[in-house]
């Protein structure tokens, strides 16, 4: 019997994922989002950002402008994250709903975007002021669904909220494509302004409980918690403990709960849920387990009280995803040939796997590498080659960083020679 080579077995790896949900109430981005994105947390080495916004400015002029140019929020996140080696992998927008995914560039060959979808549920399913936006992808070979939603408001509309939740879930099936049912995906990340409220208790009791940080009574009357006790499918979606104060409704530019005439009760409207695929059960008494070599661990679930541009506070969750890659090698290997200079054409060699579905519309791009280190001396700029697959709608290969030298770096400079113009 031939001995197996331990190096052929892909090693398990851990990905750190940071999820943001925020109803921004038509506001523009504030000047600093370091706390929201955990940029100052030196113990956190993030691999992927998933950002969901609700109630972005969706007036006619704003939508026309955002069609021609990146919306202000997307531009802001790209400006902040690009110098940290993050690339925008995908995005989808439906009126005021926006979903963005950023990943460190080294993960791009192992992230395949399968589909994006918008599911309006407002005005009998024809208007996108409520509903969900979705991105379906394969991450190192595993199916992952990401949903950002905005459900109907008001305490009395809980049945309608649950109906919209079910409708969004039911619409995520793709019969004409080779994508499994969403409930067969390895991971579902579902978040947004779900608008679930606190039942029964009066305004004074709720506010006093929050003031004294007595949250346990409020949890019992939280509509989402109640629904999960009775709905078997909803019960499969997990959530971290609500150890932060309710995130709605605040007076804008303050940390004071609603002082208007309506005086709405505070509530945990902004939530982050997840669901791992379950293995078939062996019997009535056998617990179902998540897929082997694929586990998700919640490391933090918090609100960010420092931001006051909206009547909602943003909520974030940080996860560690442990997986054994089903895909461990990129579909394309890119190599720049020879010495690279600014004046000469760049010769590129690339190698395809046998099952790669190439297309005449594939292309290779040259991108500058951003380095966000202030204490190193300035050297020659570094670049990367990206191979984009038209059929797979994804980057499927990346070269290692390399330098492109100016011609003057190689030329001799005789005293009587003219200085080169660069």
């Amino acid at each position: 019997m031939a001995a197996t080579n331990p190096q052929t077995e892909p090693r398990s790896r851990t990905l750190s994922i940071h999820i943001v949900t925020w109803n921004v109430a038509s506001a523009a981005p504030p000047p600093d989002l370091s706390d929201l994105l955990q940029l100052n947390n030196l113990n956190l080495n993030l691999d992927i950002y998933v950002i969901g916004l609700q109630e972005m400015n969706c007036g006619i002029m704003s939508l026309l402008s955002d069609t021609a140019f990146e919306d202000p929020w997307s531009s802001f996140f790209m400006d902040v994250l690009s110098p940290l080696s993050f690339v925008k992998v995908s995005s989808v927008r439906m009126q005021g709903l926006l979903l963005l995914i950023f990943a460190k560039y080294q993960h791009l060959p192992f992230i395949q975007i399968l589909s994006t979808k918008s599911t309006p549920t407002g005005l009998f399913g024809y208007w996108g002021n409520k509903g969900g936006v979705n991105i379906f992808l394969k991450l190192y070979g595993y199916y992952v669904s990401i949903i950002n939603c905005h459900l109907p408001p008001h305490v009395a509309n809980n049945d309608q909220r649950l109906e919209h939740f079910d409708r969004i879930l039911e619409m995520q099936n793709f019969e004409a494509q080779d994508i499994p049912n969403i409930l067969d995906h390895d991971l579902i990340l579902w978040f947004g302004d779900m608008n679930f409220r606190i039942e029964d208790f009066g305004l004074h009791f709720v506010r006093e409980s929050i003031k004294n940080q007595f949250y346990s009574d409020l949890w019992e009357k939280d509509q989402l918690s109640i629904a999960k006790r009775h709905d078997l499918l909803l019960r499969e979606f997990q959530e971290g403990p609500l150890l932060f104060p309710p995130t709605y409704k605040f007076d804008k530019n303050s940390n004071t709960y609603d002082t208007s005439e309506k005086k709405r009760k505070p509530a945990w409207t902004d939530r982050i849920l997840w669901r791992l695929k379950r293995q078939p059960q062996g019997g009535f008494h056998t617990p179902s387990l998540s897929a082997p070599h694929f586990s998700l661990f919640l490391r933090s679930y918090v609100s960010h009280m420092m931001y006051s541009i909206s009547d909602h506070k943003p909520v974030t969750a940080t996860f560690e995803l442990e997986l054994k890659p089903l895909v461990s090698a990129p579909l394309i290997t890119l190599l720049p040939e020879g010495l690279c200079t600014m004046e000469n054409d760049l010769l590129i060699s690339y190698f395809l796997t046998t099952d790669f579905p190439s297309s005449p519309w594939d292309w290779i791009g040259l991108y500058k590498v951003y380095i966000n280190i202030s204490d190193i001396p300035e050297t020659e700029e570094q670049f990367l080659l990206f191979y984009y697959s038209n059929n797979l709608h994804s980057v499927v290969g990346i070269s290692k960083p390399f330098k492109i030298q100016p011609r003057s770096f190689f030329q001799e400079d005789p005293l009587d020679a003219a200085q080169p113009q660069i």
Side-chain angles (χ1 to χ4, degrees):
M1 181 181 293
T4 59
N5 184 356
Q7 293 183 345
T8 62
E9 186 77 13
R11 294 181 179 179
S12 296
R13 66 183 307 153
T14 300
L15 302 178
S16 185
I17 303 173
H18 189 66
I19 298 178
V20 175
T21 180
W22 194 3
N23 183 321
V24 298
S26 299
D32 184 8
L33 289 176
S34 298
D35 184 70
L36 186 73
L37 299 175
Q38 294 290 284
L39 300 182
N40 298 324
N41 188 340
L42 301 179
N43 298 319
L44 195 60
N45 184 19
L46 291 170
D47 296 283
I48 297 173
Y49 281 98
V50 178
I51 300 169
L53 304 180
Q54 307 88 39
E55 287 196 20
M56 287 179 56
N57 188 352
C58 58
I60 295 298
M61 294 306 297
S62 175
L63 286 175
L64 289 174
S65 174
D66 294 347
T67 301
F69 310 99
E70 286 283 0
D71 65 88
W73 282 94
S74 295
S75 297
F76 185 94
F77 287 122
M78 283 192 288
D79 290 343
V80 171
L81 296 175
S82 292
L84 303 176
S85 300
F86 284 91
V87 178
K88 188 175 80 168
V89 177
S90 185
S91 67
V92 58
R93 182 173 179 182
M94 179 180 70
Q95 291 182 219
L97 278 168
L98 175 68
L99 177 57
L100 300 164
I101 300 178
F102 292 86
K104 287 278 183 70
Y105 69 81
Q106 58 264 34
H107 298 301
L108 294 188
F110 307 101
I111 301 175
Q112 181 188 345
I113 302 301
L114 299 175
S115 179
T116 62
K117 189 170 185 178
S118 301
T119 306
T121 59
L123 195 62
F124 307 104
Y126 292 100
W127 191 242
N129 64 322
K130 296 293 185 290
V133 289
N134 324 75
I135 295 176
F136 301 94
L137 54 88
K138 289 181 81 171
L139 178 64
Y140 285 91
Y142 294 91
Y143 286 98
V144 178
S145 302
I146 300 172
I147 304 174
N148 172 28
C149 74
H150 193 183
L151 302 181
H154 308 309
V155 66
N157 290 335
N158 195 42
D159 289 343
Q160 187 181 16
R161 263 187 293 282
L162 295 172
E163 179 187 333
H164 284 208
F165 189 98
D166 290 341
R167 191 185 310 170
I168 292 170
L169 194 61
E170 290 169 1
M171 295 296 291
Q172 309 317 311
N173 296 322
F174 298 85
E175 296 178 359
Q177 301 182 38
D178 186 23
I179 302 176
N181 183 289
I182 186 172
L183 295 179
D184 291 323
H185 287 194
D186 297 287
L187 174 63
I188 302 173
L189 297 170
W190 192 327
F191 48 87
D193 180 1
M194 297 188 177
N195 258 321
F196 290 105
R197 306 304 171 97
I198 296 172
E199 291 187 346
D200 298 339
F201 295 134
L203 175 64
H204 178 74
F205 180 86
V206 171
R207 288 192 173 180
E208 283 299 308
S209 298
I210 296 169
K211 180 180 177 181
N212 296 302
Q213 298 185 12
F214 294 155
Y215 299 140
S216 56
D217 288 338
L218 304 183
W219 298 335
E220 291 297 317
K221 296 298 182 179
D222 169 68
Q223 289 178 330
L224 178 57
S225 301
I226 295 172
K228 290 177 71 173
R229 294 177 209 142
H230 302 95
D231 189 312
L232 293 177
L233 178 58
L234 193 57
R235 194 182 302 168
E236 293 183 2
F237 284 87
Q238 302 179 63
E239 183 181 18
L242 296 170
L243 301 179
F244 49 87
T247 53
Y248 175 85
K249 172 182 171 85
F250 289 87
D251 292 337
K252 289 186 179 181
N253 302 311
S254 78
N255 287 331
T256 304
Y257 285 106
D258 188 15
T259 60
S260 69
E261 291 183 4
K262 294 183 179 179
K263 286 189 171 60
R264 293 179 180 87
K265 273 194 303 184
W268 286 288
T269 56
D270 310 281
R271 312 292 275 268
I272 299 174
L273 312 177
W274 74 93
R275 177 187 182 272
L276 288 167
K277 179 182 176 181
R278 302 296 177 179
Q279 294 293 332
Q281 295 188 2
F284 290 109
H285 303 292
T286 304
S288 60
L289 301 173
S290 60
H293 311 305
F294 191 88
S295 304
L296 191 71
F297 302 95
L298 179 67
R299 296 309 181 202
S300 76
Y301 188 34
V302 298
S303 66
H304 298 260
M305 294 291 290
M306 64 182 294
Y307 299 107
S308 57
I309 60 171
S310 168
D311 52 357
H312 291 251
K313 300 297 182 184
V315 173
T316 64
T318 305
F319 296 92
E320 286 184 359
L321 177 61
E322 294 184 2
L323 56 84
K324 181 171 286 187
L326 301 178
V327 178
S328 56
L331 295 172
I332 298 287
T333 303
L334 290 162
L335 295 171
E337 293 286 345
L339 208 54
C340 303
T341 68
M342 293 174 62
E343 290 80 8
N344 299 325
D345 290 339
L346 179 61
L347 183 63
I348 302 168
S349 295
Y350 62 93
F351 306 92
L352 293 69
T353 57
T354 55
D355 57 346
F356 175 69
S358 61
S359 162
W361 297 102
D362 293 353
W363 52 268
I364 296 174
L366 179 68
Y367 292 88
K368 181 179 176 181
V369 177
Y370 289 91
I371 301 177
N372 191 34
I373 303 176
S374 58
D375 57 352
I376 62 172
E378 186 174 348
T379 59
E380 295 89 355
E381 295 174 338
Q382 289 192 320
F383 294 84
L384 292 168
L385 293 167
F386 283 49
Y387 188 109
Y388 181 83
S389 166
N390 184 69
N391 287 331
L392 300 179
H393 310 292
S394 304
V395 171
V396 294
I398 300 178
S399 70
K400 293 182 179 179
F402 62 94
K403 295 178 181 179
I404 297 181
Q405 305 284 6
R407 179 185 297 169
S408 59
F409 185 85
F410 307 100
Q411 281 187 331
E412 294 183 2
D413 188 17
L415 294 177
D416 58 347
Q419 293 296 320
Q421 300 298 312
I422 299 176

